[in-house]
Short mmCIF file of all heavy atoms in Angstrom, two decimals:
data_model
loop_
_atom_site.label_atom_id
_atom_site.label_comp_id
_atom_site.label_asym_id
_atom_site.label_seq_id
_atom_site.Cartn_x
_atom_site.Cartn_y
_atom_site.Cartn_z
N THR A 777 133.48 122.81 1.22
CA THR A 777 133.41 122.58 -0.22
C THR A 777 134.43 121.36 -0.49
O THR A 777 135.22 120.96 0.43
CB THR A 777 133.91 123.77 -1.00
OG1 THR A 777 135.37 124.07 -0.66
CG2 THR A 777 133.07 125.03 -0.76
N ALA A 778 134.48 120.86 -1.61
CA ALA A 778 135.49 119.78 -2.04
C ALA A 778 136.86 120.17 -1.69
O ALA A 778 137.71 119.47 -1.16
CB ALA A 778 135.28 119.33 -3.30
N PHE A 779 137.27 121.51 -2.17
CA PHE A 779 138.63 121.95 -1.91
C PHE A 779 138.85 122.05 -0.36
O PHE A 779 139.89 121.53 0.07
CB PHE A 779 138.72 123.28 -2.53
CG PHE A 779 140.04 124.03 -2.05
CD1 PHE A 779 141.27 123.61 -2.49
CD2 PHE A 779 140.07 125.17 -1.32
CE1 PHE A 779 142.48 124.20 -2.17
CE2 PHE A 779 141.15 125.65 -0.90
CZ PHE A 779 142.39 125.24 -1.41
N GLU A 780 137.92 122.74 0.42
CA GLU A 780 138.13 122.79 1.76
C GLU A 780 138.24 121.34 2.47
O GLU A 780 139.07 121.10 3.37
CB GLU A 780 137.01 123.58 2.44
CG GLU A 780 137.01 125.07 1.96
CD GLU A 780 135.62 125.70 2.24
OE1 GLU A 780 134.69 125.05 2.58
OE2 GLU A 780 135.70 126.99 2.29
N PHE A 781 137.41 120.46 2.07
CA PHE A 781 137.41 119.22 2.61
C PHE A 781 138.73 118.43 2.51
O PHE A 781 139.32 117.84 3.42
CB PHE A 781 136.24 118.32 2.04
CG PHE A 781 136.16 116.96 2.56
CD1 PHE A 781 135.58 116.68 3.83
CD2 PHE A 781 136.57 115.84 1.89
CE1 PHE A 781 135.52 115.39 4.37
CE2 PHE A 781 136.43 114.49 2.42
CZ PHE A 781 135.80 114.29 3.67
N CYS A 782 139.20 118.52 1.25
CA CYS A 782 140.51 117.96 0.95
C CYS A 782 141.68 118.49 1.88
O CYS A 782 142.54 117.77 2.47
CB CYS A 782 140.98 118.13 -0.45
SG CYS A 782 140.20 117.14 -1.59
N CYS A 783 141.55 119.87 2.14
CA CYS A 783 142.56 120.44 3.02
C CYS A 783 142.40 120.04 4.53
O CYS A 783 143.30 119.81 5.17
CB CYS A 783 142.51 121.98 2.85
SG CYS A 783 143.00 122.63 1.20
N ALA A 784 141.09 120.01 4.87
CA ALA A 784 140.82 119.68 6.20
C ALA A 784 141.17 118.38 6.67
O ALA A 784 141.41 118.22 7.86
CB ALA A 784 139.32 119.88 6.44
N ILE A 785 141.23 117.41 5.86
CA ILE A 785 141.47 115.90 6.16
C ILE A 785 142.94 115.73 6.22
O ILE A 785 143.38 114.45 6.66
CB ILE A 785 140.64 114.98 5.31
CG1 ILE A 785 141.25 115.03 3.93
CG2 ILE A 785 139.15 115.25 5.37
CD1 ILE A 785 140.67 113.79 3.15
N LYS A 786 143.86 116.62 5.86
CA LYS A 786 145.23 116.19 5.81
C LYS A 786 145.79 115.77 7.14
O LYS A 786 146.46 114.66 7.20
CB LYS A 786 146.10 117.45 5.37
CG LYS A 786 146.02 117.87 3.95
CD LYS A 786 146.74 119.14 3.71
CE LYS A 786 146.38 119.77 2.41
NZ LYS A 786 147.17 121.07 2.18
N PRO A 787 145.40 116.37 8.26
CA PRO A 787 145.95 115.88 9.59
C PRO A 787 145.48 114.48 9.97
O PRO A 787 146.21 113.61 10.54
CB PRO A 787 145.49 116.88 10.57
CG PRO A 787 144.58 117.74 9.99
CD PRO A 787 144.70 117.66 8.54
N TRP A 788 144.29 114.16 9.46
CA TRP A 788 143.77 112.74 9.69
C TRP A 788 144.46 111.78 8.75
O TRP A 788 144.77 110.59 9.16
CB TRP A 788 142.26 112.61 9.33
CG TRP A 788 141.50 113.02 10.56
CD1 TRP A 788 141.04 112.30 11.58
CD2 TRP A 788 140.96 114.44 10.90
NE1 TRP A 788 140.30 113.17 12.46
CE2 TRP A 788 140.33 114.41 12.13
CE3 TRP A 788 141.24 115.63 10.19
CZ2 TRP A 788 139.81 115.55 12.65
CZ3 TRP A 788 140.58 116.78 10.66
CH2 TRP A 788 139.95 116.70 11.92
N LEU A 789 144.96 112.12 7.55
CA LEU A 789 145.72 111.22 6.71
C LEU A 789 147.19 111.05 7.33
O LEU A 789 147.65 110.03 7.36
CB LEU A 789 145.88 111.78 5.34
CG LEU A 789 146.50 110.89 4.40
CD1 LEU A 789 145.96 109.51 4.21
CD2 LEU A 789 146.47 111.56 2.94
N ILE A 790 147.66 112.04 7.87
CA ILE A 790 148.95 111.94 8.65
C ILE A 790 148.83 111.05 9.76
O ILE A 790 149.61 110.18 9.93
CB ILE A 790 149.49 113.39 9.08
CG1 ILE A 790 149.97 114.22 7.77
CG2 ILE A 790 150.54 113.28 10.07
CD1 ILE A 790 150.20 115.64 8.08
N ALA A 791 147.83 111.21 10.62
CA ALA A 791 147.52 110.33 11.75
C ALA A 791 147.49 108.87 11.30
O ALA A 791 147.91 108.02 12.03
CB ALA A 791 146.26 110.86 12.49
N TYR A 792 146.71 108.70 10.22
CA TYR A 792 146.48 107.37 9.59
C TYR A 792 147.78 106.66 9.42
O TYR A 792 148.15 105.52 9.75
CB TYR A 792 145.61 107.39 8.48
CG TYR A 792 145.49 106.11 7.72
CD1 TYR A 792 144.34 105.25 7.97
CD2 TYR A 792 146.38 105.58 6.82
CE1 TYR A 792 144.26 104.11 7.44
CE2 TYR A 792 146.13 104.34 6.23
CZ TYR A 792 145.17 103.60 6.49
OH TYR A 792 144.96 102.39 5.79
N ALA A 793 148.78 107.46 8.80
CA ALA A 793 150.07 106.87 8.39
C ALA A 793 150.85 106.59 9.69
O ALA A 793 151.59 105.62 9.78
CB ALA A 793 150.80 107.83 7.44
N LEU A 794 150.81 107.56 10.65
CA LEU A 794 151.51 107.23 11.99
C LEU A 794 150.97 106.06 12.71
O LEU A 794 151.66 105.33 13.16
CB LEU A 794 151.42 108.52 12.80
CG LEU A 794 152.08 109.76 12.29
CD1 LEU A 794 151.76 111.02 13.20
CD2 LEU A 794 153.68 109.57 12.28
N GLU A 795 149.65 105.88 12.71
CA GLU A 795 149.06 104.77 13.21
C GLU A 795 149.36 103.41 12.56
O GLU A 795 149.41 102.38 13.19
CB GLU A 795 147.43 104.91 13.22
CG GLU A 795 147.02 105.88 14.26
CD GLU A 795 145.47 106.31 14.03
OE1 GLU A 795 144.76 105.61 13.34
OE2 GLU A 795 145.14 107.29 14.65
N LYS A 796 149.84 103.52 11.32
CA LYS A 796 150.13 102.39 10.56
C LYS A 796 151.78 101.97 10.80
O LYS A 796 152.13 101.14 10.10
CB LYS A 796 149.86 102.52 9.01
CG LYS A 796 148.46 102.59 8.71
CD LYS A 796 147.80 101.07 8.98
CE LYS A 796 146.35 101.26 8.58
NZ LYS A 796 145.74 99.96 8.92
N GLY A 797 152.35 102.76 11.64
CA GLY A 797 153.66 102.54 12.03
C GLY A 797 154.73 103.32 11.19
O GLY A 797 156.09 103.05 11.55
N PHE A 798 154.33 104.18 10.51
CA PHE A 798 155.38 105.02 9.77
C PHE A 798 155.80 106.19 10.78
O PHE A 798 154.82 106.83 11.49
CB PHE A 798 154.71 105.69 8.52
CG PHE A 798 154.54 104.68 7.37
CD1 PHE A 798 153.32 103.92 7.35
CD2 PHE A 798 155.53 104.27 6.54
CE1 PHE A 798 153.20 102.98 6.42
CE2 PHE A 798 155.35 103.34 5.55
CZ PHE A 798 154.08 102.73 5.49
N ASP A 799 157.04 106.34 10.83
CA ASP A 799 157.53 107.37 11.80
C ASP A 799 158.19 108.57 11.03
O ASP A 799 158.56 109.57 11.74
CB ASP A 799 158.59 106.77 12.73
CG ASP A 799 159.75 105.95 12.05
OD1 ASP A 799 159.89 106.09 10.84
OD2 ASP A 799 160.41 105.09 12.74
N ARG A 800 158.08 108.59 9.75
CA ARG A 800 158.45 109.80 8.96
C ARG A 800 157.46 109.95 7.90
O ARG A 800 157.31 109.15 6.95
CB ARG A 800 159.86 109.65 8.44
CG ARG A 800 161.06 109.44 9.37
CD ARG A 800 161.20 110.72 10.12
NE ARG A 800 162.32 110.51 11.13
CZ ARG A 800 162.16 109.96 12.41
NH1 ARG A 800 161.02 109.68 12.89
NH2 ARG A 800 163.36 109.86 13.07
N VAL A 801 156.63 110.94 7.99
CA VAL A 801 155.45 111.12 7.12
C VAL A 801 155.68 112.42 6.31
O VAL A 801 155.76 113.46 7.06
CB VAL A 801 154.07 111.12 7.84
CG1 VAL A 801 152.99 111.32 6.79
CG2 VAL A 801 153.94 109.80 8.50
N LEU A 802 155.59 112.56 5.06
CA LEU A 802 155.71 113.73 4.25
C LEU A 802 154.40 113.86 3.49
O LEU A 802 154.02 112.93 2.75
CB LEU A 802 156.84 113.67 3.16
CG LEU A 802 158.29 113.57 3.87
CD1 LEU A 802 159.33 113.52 2.69
CD2 LEU A 802 158.49 114.64 4.88
N TYR A 803 153.68 115.00 3.61
CA TYR A 803 152.45 115.34 2.88
C TYR A 803 153.00 116.21 1.79
O TYR A 803 153.53 117.28 2.04
CB TYR A 803 151.37 115.93 3.70
CG TYR A 803 150.26 116.37 2.81
CD1 TYR A 803 149.23 115.57 2.34
CD2 TYR A 803 150.40 117.79 2.24
CE1 TYR A 803 148.25 115.93 1.52
CE2 TYR A 803 149.46 118.12 1.33
CZ TYR A 803 148.44 117.22 0.94
OH TYR A 803 147.53 117.74 0.06
N PHE A 804 152.48 116.07 0.52
CA PHE A 804 152.62 116.89 -0.48
C PHE A 804 151.46 117.09 -1.30
O PHE A 804 150.69 116.01 -1.54
CB PHE A 804 153.71 116.38 -1.56
CG PHE A 804 155.12 116.33 -1.00
CD1 PHE A 804 155.66 115.22 -0.53
CD2 PHE A 804 155.86 117.38 -0.97
CE1 PHE A 804 156.87 115.13 -0.13
CE2 PHE A 804 157.21 117.44 -0.55
CZ PHE A 804 157.72 116.25 -0.08
N ASP A 805 151.01 118.33 -1.71
CA ASP A 805 149.96 118.44 -2.66
C ASP A 805 150.34 117.79 -4.02
O ASP A 805 151.58 117.80 -4.22
CB ASP A 805 149.66 119.90 -3.06
CG ASP A 805 148.94 120.67 -1.92
OD1 ASP A 805 148.26 119.94 -1.01
OD2 ASP A 805 148.95 121.88 -2.00
N CYS A 806 149.48 117.16 -4.76
CA CYS A 806 149.71 116.30 -5.87
C CYS A 806 150.21 117.13 -6.99
O CYS A 806 150.63 116.68 -8.14
CB CYS A 806 148.64 115.44 -6.27
SG CYS A 806 147.33 116.31 -7.07
N ASP A 807 150.30 118.47 -6.96
CA ASP A 807 150.72 119.24 -7.93
C ASP A 807 152.22 119.73 -7.74
O ASP A 807 152.68 120.58 -8.58
CB ASP A 807 149.79 120.49 -8.35
CG ASP A 807 149.67 121.36 -7.13
OD1 ASP A 807 150.28 121.05 -5.95
OD2 ASP A 807 148.96 122.51 -7.30
N ILE A 808 152.81 119.18 -6.87
CA ILE A 808 154.31 119.44 -6.60
C ILE A 808 155.11 118.51 -7.28
O ILE A 808 154.90 117.32 -7.36
CB ILE A 808 154.57 119.40 -4.98
CG1 ILE A 808 153.82 120.44 -4.28
CG2 ILE A 808 155.95 119.30 -4.70
CD1 ILE A 808 153.96 120.52 -2.76
N GLY A 809 156.24 119.09 -7.81
CA GLY A 809 157.14 118.22 -8.58
C GLY A 809 158.39 118.01 -7.69
O GLY A 809 158.53 118.64 -6.66
N PHE A 810 159.19 116.93 -8.00
CA PHE A 810 160.33 116.63 -7.30
C PHE A 810 161.52 116.61 -8.28
O PHE A 810 161.47 116.07 -9.38
CB PHE A 810 160.20 115.21 -6.76
CG PHE A 810 159.02 114.99 -5.96
CD1 PHE A 810 157.79 114.49 -6.25
CD2 PHE A 810 159.14 115.53 -4.42
CE1 PHE A 810 156.65 114.41 -5.47
CE2 PHE A 810 157.82 115.35 -3.71
CZ PHE A 810 156.79 114.81 -4.34
#
Side-chain angles (χ1 to χ4, degrees):
T777 66
F779 170 71
E780 292 168 341
F781 183 74
C782 285
C783 294
I785 69 170
K786 290 177 195 175
W788 278 270
L789 184 55
I790 291 170
Y792 177 91
L794 292 172
E795 289 168 14
K796 292 294 180 186
F798 290 90
D799 51 12
R800 302 292 183 267
V801 180
L802 301 180
Y803 171 87
F804 292 100
D805 283 346
C806 73
D807 59 357
I808 291 180
F810 304 96

